[in-house]
Amino acid sequence: MTLTLITGGNKGLGFETARRLIGLGHTVYIGARNAENGKKAANELGAQFVLLDVTDNDSVNTAAAEIMKKEGHLDVLINNAGIVGGFSKPQDVTADEVRQSYETNVFGIVRVTQAFLPLLRKSEAPVIVNVSSGLGSFGMVTNPETLESKVNSLAYTSSKSAVTMLTVQYAKGLPNIRINAVDPGPTKTDLTGHGHQTVEEGTDAIVRMATIGKEGPTGTFTNRNGEMPW
């Protein structure tokens, strides 16, 4: 049985991804920084819960140790936790605003990936899925015909560009693990508050890449319709 951890899995895209993967036979751990919300979501889904704040080294390391003790390995890691942050005009953005977005969206992926690598290496077909965004795609935000080109959010968009580059570099450095980035697309959740896709459509790419197995692609960036421009 495939063992999967989803960060930020107690709501939105993470919750729906957990629901779908459980339906496919995965044993899913929901990582959440709020114990009450995490346990409630896990109970509703039939998932396991682990307390995990991606911005806190001790929390991440404790979660990794807990799953190692209980399970001894991890097959799929879905780095889903993220924040939108502020939408200050570029000339008004402070370093602290950017740092806040990066703490979760970028450094959080590095923390979690590093902590769970020993568990993933014990899997026969380890997979990592990093949830990025079309707002981090240079091709999308510079194309005047896209919705992404209408958004001007320095902190969030640059953090998601960093996620795709992290993905490529991890894929190059860890050839025995399938590591890919995905764009959920414009999905209305409590994180974004806007979008035309259903939450199920928004998880199509995540679920597809979480189930690729050891022969699947690595170092790619896709959405539900296929390849995304970098």
Side-chain angles (χ1 to χ4, degrees), residues 167-195:
T167 301
V168 171
Q169 297 301 323
Y170 273 130
K172 289 170 64 178
L174 299 166
N176 295 324
I177 304 177
R178 305 293 89 185
I179 306 173
N180 297 283
V182 298
D183 166 33
T187 306
K188 188 172 184 179
T189 66
D190 60 349
L191 179 67
T192 63
H194 59 83

mmCIF file of all heavy atoms in Angstrom, residues 167-195:
data_model
loop_
_atom_site.group_PDB
_atom_site.id
_atom_site.type_symbol
_atom_site.label_atom_id
_atom_site.label_comp_id
_atom_site.label_asym_id
_atom_site.label_seq_id
_atom_site.Cartn_x
_atom_site.Cartn_y
_atom_site.Cartn_z
ATOM 1 N N THR A 167 12.444 22.242 -7.900
ATOM 2 C CA THR A 167 12.040 20.945 -8.438
ATOM 3 C C THR A 167 13.049 20.414 -9.437
ATOM 4 O O THR A 167 13.457 19.248 -9.382
ATOM 5 C CB THR A 167 10.653 21.064 -9.104
ATOM 6 O OG1 THR A 167 9.701 21.510 -8.130
ATOM 7 C CG2 THR A 167 10.211 19.734 -9.676
ATOM 8 N N VAL A 168 13.459 21.263 -10.364
ATOM 9 C CA VAL A 168 14.431 20.843 -11.383
ATOM 10 C C VAL A 168 15.758 20.445 -10.744
ATOM 11 O O VAL A 168 16.352 19.421 -11.098
ATOM 12 C CB VAL A 168 14.655 21.974 -12.414
ATOM 13 C CG1 VAL A 168 15.816 21.625 -13.344
ATOM 14 C CG2 VAL A 168 13.392 22.212 -13.224
ATOM 15 N N GLN A 169 16.222 21.232 -9.798
ATOM 16 C CA GLN A 169 17.509 20.954 -9.174
ATOM 17 C C GLN A 169 17.457 19.696 -8.306
ATOM 18 O O GLN A 169 18.403 18.896 -8.295
ATOM 19 C CB GLN A 169 17.978 22.154 -8.353
ATOM 20 C CG GLN A 169 18.226 23.404 -9.185
ATOM 21 C CD GLN A 169 19.274 23.183 -10.267
ATOM 22 O OE1 GLN A 169 20.263 22.471 -10.078
ATOM 23 N NE2 GLN A 169 19.053 23.784 -11.428
ATOM 24 N N TYR A 170 16.354 19.497 -7.578
ATOM 25 C CA TYR A 170 16.205 18.261 -6.811
ATOM 26 C C TYR A 170 16.160 17.055 -7.748
ATOM 27 O O TYR A 170 16.757 16.012 -7.471
ATOM 28 C CB TYR A 170 14.910 18.307 -5.984
ATOM 29 C CG TYR A 170 15.040 18.955 -4.624
ATOM 30 C CD1 TYR A 170 14.146 19.934 -4.219
ATOM 31 C CD2 TYR A 170 16.032 18.565 -3.728
ATOM 32 C CE1 TYR A 170 14.233 20.530 -2.966
ATOM 33 C CE2 TYR A 170 16.128 19.152 -2.471
ATOM 34 C CZ TYR A 170 15.225 20.136 -2.096
ATOM 35 O OH TYR A 170 15.319 20.714 -0.858
ATOM 36 N N ALA A 171 15.445 17.188 -8.860
ATOM 37 C CA ALA A 171 15.336 16.080 -9.810
ATOM 38 C C ALA A 171 16.698 15.709 -10.385
ATOM 39 O O ALA A 171 17.010 14.528 -10.573
ATOM 40 C CB ALA A 171 14.354 16.444 -10.927
ATOM 41 N N LYS A 172 17.519 16.715 -10.654
ATOM 42 C CA LYS A 172 18.868 16.454 -11.175
ATOM 43 C C LYS A 172 19.753 15.790 -10.125
ATOM 44 O O LYS A 172 20.554 14.907 -10.423
ATOM 45 C CB LYS A 172 19.513 17.768 -11.631
ATOM 46 C CG LYS A 172 18.910 18.355 -12.897
ATOM 47 C CD LYS A 172 19.429 19.755 -13.159
ATOM 48 C CE LYS A 172 20.933 19.766 -13.418
ATOM 49 N NZ LYS A 172 21.419 21.144 -13.728
ATOM 50 N N GLY A 173 19.594 16.231 -8.882
ATOM 51 C CA GLY A 173 20.463 15.732 -7.818
ATOM 52 C C GLY A 173 20.016 14.435 -7.186
ATOM 53 O O GLY A 173 20.809 13.756 -6.531
ATOM 54 N N LEU A 174 18.729 14.083 -7.380
ATOM 55 C CA LEU A 174 18.171 12.872 -6.763
ATOM 56 C C LEU A 174 17.512 12.023 -7.855
ATOM 57 O O LEU A 174 16.282 11.890 -7.915
ATOM 58 C CB LEU A 174 17.145 13.248 -5.691
ATOM 59 C CG LEU A 174 17.677 14.084 -4.524
ATOM 60 C CD1 LEU A 174 16.535 14.672 -3.715
ATOM 61 C CD2 LEU A 174 18.588 13.249 -3.629
ATOM 62 N N PRO A 175 18.318 11.435 -8.730
ATOM 63 C CA PRO A 175 17.763 10.723 -9.899
ATOM 64 C C PRO A 175 16.943 9.488 -9.558
ATOM 65 O O PRO A 175 16.203 8.995 -10.416
ATOM 66 C CB PRO A 175 19.019 10.351 -10.706
ATOM 67 C CG PRO A 175 20.128 10.326 -9.691
ATOM 68 C CD PRO A 175 19.792 11.405 -8.720
ATOM 69 N N ASN A 176 17.044 8.982 -8.346
ATOM 70 C CA ASN A 176 16.276 7.797 -7.964
ATOM 71 C C ASN A 176 14.891 8.122 -7.419
ATOM 72 O O ASN A 176 14.135 7.230 -7.037
ATOM 73 C CB ASN A 176 17.052 6.978 -6.933
ATOM 74 C CG ASN A 176 18.330 6.402 -7.513
ATOM 75 O OD1 ASN A 176 18.372 6.013 -8.681
ATOM 76 N ND2 ASN A 176 19.383 6.369 -6.710
ATOM 77 N N ILE A 177 14.577 9.430 -7.368
ATOM 78 C CA ILE A 177 13.258 9.870 -6.915
ATOM 79 C C ILE A 177 12.597 10.644 -8.043
ATOM 80 O O ILE A 177 13.235 11.477 -8.690
ATOM 81 C CB ILE A 177 13.367 10.762 -5.656
ATOM 82 C CG1 ILE A 177 14.116 10.031 -4.533
ATOM 83 C CG2 ILE A 177 11.982 11.199 -5.177
ATOM 84 C CD1 ILE A 177 14.325 10.867 -3.280
ATOM 85 N N ARG A 178 11.322 10.361 -8.306
ATOM 86 C CA ARG A 178 10.568 11.110 -9.317
ATOM 87 C C ARG A 178 10.077 12.394 -8.665
ATOM 88 O O ARG A 178 9.289 12.358 -7.714
ATOM 89 C CB ARG A 178 9.371 10.309 -9.818
ATOM 90 C CG ARG A 178 9.678 8.904 -10.362
ATOM 91 C CD ARG A 178 10.489 8.921 -11.632
ATOM 92 N NE ARG A 178 11.916 8.924 -11.356
ATOM 93 C CZ ARG A 178 12.861 9.042 -12.295
ATOM 94 N NH1 ARG A 178 12.516 9.208 -13.548
ATOM 95 N NH2 ARG A 178 14.131 9.020 -11.965
ATOM 96 N N ILE A 179 10.545 13.541 -9.155
ATOM 97 C CA ILE A 179 10.253 14.832 -8.522
ATOM 98 C C ILE A 179 9.711 15.796 -9.573
ATOM 99 O O ILE A 179 10.404 16.130 -10.535
ATOM 100 C CB ILE A 179 11.519 15.425 -7.869
ATOM 101 C CG1 ILE A 179 12.153 14.403 -6.905
ATOM 102 C CG2 ILE A 179 11.183 16.713 -7.130
ATOM 103 C CD1 ILE A 179 13.491 14.828 -6.345
ATOM 104 N N ASN A 180 8.481 16.240 -9.397
ATOM 105 C CA ASN A 180 7.838 17.092 -10.384
ATOM 106 C C ASN A 180 7.068 18.237 -9.734
ATOM 107 O O ASN A 180 6.608 18.122 -8.601
ATOM 108 C CB ASN A 180 6.873 16.266 -11.240
ATOM 109 C CG ASN A 180 7.594 15.200 -12.042
ATOM 110 O OD1 ASN A 180 8.225 15.492 -13.051
ATOM 111 N ND2 ASN A 180 7.513 13.947 -11.595
ATOM 112 N N ALA A 181 6.929 19.328 -10.482
ATOM 113 C CA ALA A 181 6.132 20.473 -10.045
ATOM 114 C C ALA A 181 4.819 20.485 -10.810
ATOM 115 O O ALA A 181 4.761 20.071 -11.978
ATOM 116 C CB ALA A 181 6.892 21.772 -10.294
ATOM 117 N N VAL A 182 3.772 20.951 -10.158
ATOM 118 C CA VAL A 182 2.463 21.029 -10.802
ATOM 119 C C VAL A 182 1.822 22.386 -10.551
ATOM 120 O O VAL A 182 2.052 23.025 -9.524
ATOM 121 C CB VAL A 182 1.509 19.915 -10.318
ATOM 122 C CG1 VAL A 182 2.053 18.546 -10.672
ATOM 123 C CG2 VAL A 182 1.255 20.020 -8.819
ATOM 124 N N ASP A 183 1.012 22.798 -11.512
ATOM 125 C CA ASP A 183 0.186 23.994 -11.389
ATOM 126 C C ASP A 183 -1.260 23.555 -11.270
ATOM 127 O O ASP A 183 -1.812 23.004 -12.225
ATOM 128 C CB ASP A 183 0.367 24.882 -12.624
ATOM 129 C CG ASP A 183 -0.696 25.956 -12.729
ATOM 130 O OD1 ASP A 183 -1.157 26.445 -11.675
ATOM 131 O OD2 ASP A 183 -1.078 26.315 -13.877
ATOM 132 N N PRO A 184 -1.907 23.769 -10.127
ATOM 133 C CA PRO A 184 -3.312 23.375 -9.989
ATOM 134 C C PRO A 184 -4.230 24.146 -10.929
ATOM 135 O O PRO A 184 -5.311 23.672 -11.282
ATOM 136 C CB PRO A 184 -3.633 23.714 -8.530
ATOM 137 C CG PRO A 184 -2.293 23.757 -7.846
ATOM 138 C CD PRO A 184 -1.347 24.284 -8.873
ATOM 139 N N GLY A 185 -3.802 25.362 -11.328
ATOM 140 C CA GLY A 185 -4.657 26.216 -12.139
ATOM 141 C C GLY A 185 -5.540 27.091 -11.272
ATOM 142 O O GLY A 185 -5.534 27.002 -10.043
ATOM 143 N N PRO A 186 -6.328 27.958 -11.900
ATOM 144 C CA PRO A 186 -7.164 28.915 -11.150
ATOM 145 C C PRO A 186 -8.346 28.242 -10.475
ATOM 146 O O PRO A 186 -9.422 28.098 -11.051
ATOM 147 C CB PRO A 186 -7.620 29.905 -12.230
ATOM 148 C CG PRO A 186 -7.592 29.106 -13.505
ATOM 149 C CD PRO A 186 -6.444 28.141 -13.361
ATOM 150 N N THR A 187 -8.123 27.784 -9.251
ATOM 151 C CA THR A 187 -9.129 27.039 -8.498
ATOM 152 C C THR A 187 -9.578 27.857 -7.296
ATOM 153 O O THR A 187 -8.741 28.354 -6.534
ATOM 154 C CB THR A 187 -8.550 25.695 -8.015
ATOM 155 O OG1 THR A 187 -8.009 24.986 -9.136
ATOM 156 C CG2 THR A 187 -9.615 24.862 -7.337
ATOM 157 N N LYS A 188 -10.871 27.982 -7.100
ATOM 158 C CA LYS A 188 -11.376 28.773 -5.980
ATOM 159 C C LYS A 188 -11.297 27.970 -4.688
ATOM 160 O O LYS A 188 -12.009 26.996 -4.502
ATOM 161 C CB LYS A 188 -12.816 29.209 -6.235
ATOM 162 C CG LYS A 188 -13.327 30.199 -5.183
ATOM 163 C CD LYS A 188 -14.677 30.762 -5.556
ATOM 164 C CE LYS A 188 -15.121 31.809 -4.541
ATOM 165 N NZ LYS A 188 -16.435 32.413 -4.890
ATOM 166 N N THR A 189 -10.390 28.374 -3.807
ATOM 167 C CA THR A 189 -10.268 27.774 -2.480
ATOM 168 C C THR A 189 -10.203 28.911 -1.468
ATOM 169 O O THR A 189 -10.181 30.087 -1.826
ATOM 170 C CB THR A 189 -8.988 26.922 -2.364
ATOM 171 O OG1 THR A 189 -7.836 27.792 -2.465
ATOM 172 C CG2 THR A 189 -8.926 25.868 -3.462
ATOM 173 N N ASP A 190 -10.138 28.556 -0.182
ATOM 174 C CA ASP A 190 -10.033 29.613 0.832
ATOM 175 C C ASP A 190 -8.671 30.294 0.790
ATOM 176 O O ASP A 190 -8.475 31.350 1.386
ATOM 177 C CB ASP A 190 -10.320 29.068 2.231
ATOM 178 C CG ASP A 190 -9.363 27.967 2.647
ATOM 179 O OD1 ASP A 190 -8.608 27.475 1.792
ATOM 180 O OD2 ASP A 190 -9.380 27.602 3.828
ATOM 181 N N LEU A 191 -7.693 29.691 0.065
ATOM 182 C CA LEU A 191 -6.382 30.309 -0.058
ATOM 183 C C LEU A 191 -6.406 31.458 -1.051
ATOM 184 O O LEU A 191 -5.901 32.548 -0.781
ATOM 185 C CB LEU A 191 -5.347 29.269 -0.499
ATOM 186 C CG LEU A 191 -3.912 29.780 -0.698
ATOM 187 C CD1 LEU A 191 -3.308 30.207 0.632
ATOM 188 C CD2 LEU A 191 -3.039 28.711 -1.356
ATOM 189 N N THR A 192 -7.021 31.216 -2.222
ATOM 190 C CA THR A 192 -7.012 32.229 -3.276
ATOM 191 C C THR A 192 -8.282 33.055 -3.327
ATOM 192 O O THR A 192 -8.246 34.243 -3.645
ATOM 193 C CB THR A 192 -6.810 31.557 -4.652
ATOM 194 O OG1 THR A 192 -7.930 30.694 -4.907
ATOM 195 C CG2 THR A 192 -5.531 30.746 -4.682
ATOM 196 N N GLY A 193 -9.421 32.408 -3.082
ATOM 197 C CA GLY A 193 -10.686 33.128 -3.116
ATOM 198 C C GLY A 193 -11.211 33.386 -4.515
ATOM 199 O O GLY A 193 -12.243 34.024 -4.696
ATOM 200 N N HIS A 194 -10.511 32.913 -5.532
ATOM 201 C CA HIS A 194 -10.990 33.128 -6.904
ATOM 202 C C HIS A 194 -10.526 31.985 -7.801
ATOM 203 O O HIS A 194 -9.632 31.226 -7.460
ATOM 204 C CB HIS A 194 -10.479 34.462 -7.457
ATOM 205 C CG HIS A 194 -8.985 34.563 -7.492
ATOM 206 N ND1 HIS A 194 -8.213 34.046 -8.518
ATOM 207 C CD2 HIS A 194 -8.103 35.102 -6.617
ATOM 208 C CE1 HIS A 194 -6.933 34.275 -8.274
ATOM 209 N NE2 HIS A 194 -6.835 34.901 -7.127
ATOM 210 N N GLY A 195 -11.169 31.877 -8.965
ATOM 211 C CA GLY A 195 -10.834 30.823 -9.903
ATOM 212 C C GLY A 195 -12.082 30.181 -10.453
ATOM 213 O O GLY A 195 -13.146 30.232 -9.831
#
